[in-house]
Amino acid sequence: WHKRWMNSEYKPDLGKFKLTAGKFYGDPVRDKGLQTSENSKFYAISSRFKPFSNKGKTLVIQYTVKHEQKIDCGGGYVKIFSSNLDQKNLSGDSNYYIMFGPDICGSETKKVHVILNYKNKPHPIKKPIRCKVDGYTHLYTLIIRPDQTYKVKIDNEMVASGNLEDDLDFLPPRKINDPRVKKPSDWDDRVQIDDPNDVKPEDWDEPEYITDTSARKPEDWDDSVNGEWHRPMVKNPLYRGEWKPRQIDNPNYRGVWPHPQIDNPNYSPDFSIYSYENISIIGLDIWQVRAGTIFDNFLITDDEEYAEDFGDETWGETKGPEKEMNVKQTEEEQQRERATEEKYFEERFKEKVERKKGFRRERSARNAIKKEDL
């Protein structure tokens, strides 16, 4: 794998990958993959293949990710590049065609990225797609078709689909509000209004701050030095804020005004959004706080069925044994922990018993001395 993958040299302290199946696996050989090995590091590695174009063809990007360290913050995505990428200087600033895969950070960010480059600008998908976070190996698949539709699958099950033009902001909208038409002046779109029968109470108006009448001038206060003394201001407990009449449903509410739309003169269809020339490199350009993620089973093809079968023959065949091994390891670890705890408490109990015996012997000895003295 060292011959097929090139480490970036853009920073001297980039994290290192190693080849391993991890702590638990379905097959010790088939489940070997590239694993991040150092905490709090950037990683940048890539692999080159024969350039091709997906014009007129379906593009399928697929691979497996295993966050066996139960990742708390870090990327698990891949990037697809053109042939002109300088692999030795691969970094987060390198232009890419496609970025796809899971990204996790804290309790809020647990998403699958789908970002496509269009006219040298990255465009992220607007749909939220949640990734897997259970620590097992999962299969991620992105399918981009010539009809400009896409599909995202996790573990060979569809989790998102749609049209590229609709779900990513590549182009201006097809329709816009007609600037020649304005909302009628008598159109009332207020859901609620002030209650005309609600009157402000007479005792409502109280100042927010009042003079503290309990304050006394300090004895050492010198008006010639400190100026004239004034009682301080304190918050008024009777202050109730700005009065506002209560709200009631608007009897004249007509709903949201439907602004008539027209074709956007700035919109021009582009039927080549999906296609890229000289696709030639796949790379991992990520940051991880806690290392341990394993990447495996990389596949780029134009055949959706083949990709699904490939996923079933790799991830599909080892996912069950992987989980069984992890469950067994967890049970064994729990047993060891219980045995350690039991041994600890047994030793503590023995120490306590020995101390009690020692106390009894000392007390017997003291009692014998007292009897002799008597």
Side-chain angles (χ1 to χ4, degrees), residues 129-197:
I129 307 174
R130 185 175 174 83
C131 64
K132 300 290 185 178
V133 294
D134 56 15
Y136 294 113
T137 300
H138 291 285
L139 181 72
Y140 287 85
T141 309
L142 172 64
I143 302 169
I144 299 175
R145 302 190 182 100
D147 63 359
Q148 313 226 99
T149 61
Y150 72 92
K151 182 186 291 185
V152 176
K153 298 164 66 178
I154 301 179
D155 297 344
N156 268 340
E157 303 245 339
M158 188 180 73
V159 295
S161 64
N163 186 284
L164 293 176
E165 189 176 333
D166 295 335
D167 294 345
L168 295 90
D169 290 327
F170 294 111
L171 305 173
R174 296 185 182 92
K175 298 282 186 179
I176 60 171
N177 293 336
D178 189 345
R180 298 166 299 179
V181 182
K182 294 185 178 181
K183 183 173 65 174
S185 58
D186 62 345
W187 188 283
D188 195 341
D189 56 6
R190 297 172 299 166
V191 179
Q192 290 192 316
I193 59 173
D194 294 343
D195 184 353
N197 299 320

Side-chain angles (χ1 to χ4, degrees), residues 81-111:
F81 301 90
S82 70
S83 59
N84 61 8
L85 173 73
D86 180 2
Q87 290 178 265
K88 286 190 176 182
N89 287 307
L90 170 63
S91 72
D93 296 327
S94 301
N95 290 328
Y96 58 86
Y97 281 156
I98 299 170
M99 175 172 153
F100 168 64
D103 190 13
I104 298 171
C105 196
S107 59
E108 296 183 0
T109 303
K110 292 180 173 64
K111 64 182 178 181

Side-chain angles (χ1 to χ4, degrees), residues 12-56:
D13 59 342
L14 288 173
K16 304 299 181 184
F17 284 94
K18 64 180 181 180
L19 188 69
T20 177
K23 298 176 183 177
F24 55 91
Y25 41 79
D27 186 285
V29 177
R30 295 172 65 189
D31 283 351
K32 283 185 178 180
L34 298 182
Q35 184 183 47
T36 55
S37 63
E38 300 174 84
N39 294 336
S40 300
K41 290 282 187 178
F42 284 99
Y43 292 83
I45 193 171
S46 60
S47 180
R48 185 180 291 271
F49 45 84
K50 185 178 178 179
F52 73 93
S53 171
N54 68 314
K55 187 174 183 179

Side-chain angles (χ1 to χ4, degrees), residues 216-230:
R216 295 291 180 266
K217 182 178 179 180
E219 294 180 357
D220 59 349
W221 186 278
D222 188 341
D223 289 350
S224 62
V225 177
N226 302 318
E228 185 181 355
W229 182 80
H230 298 280

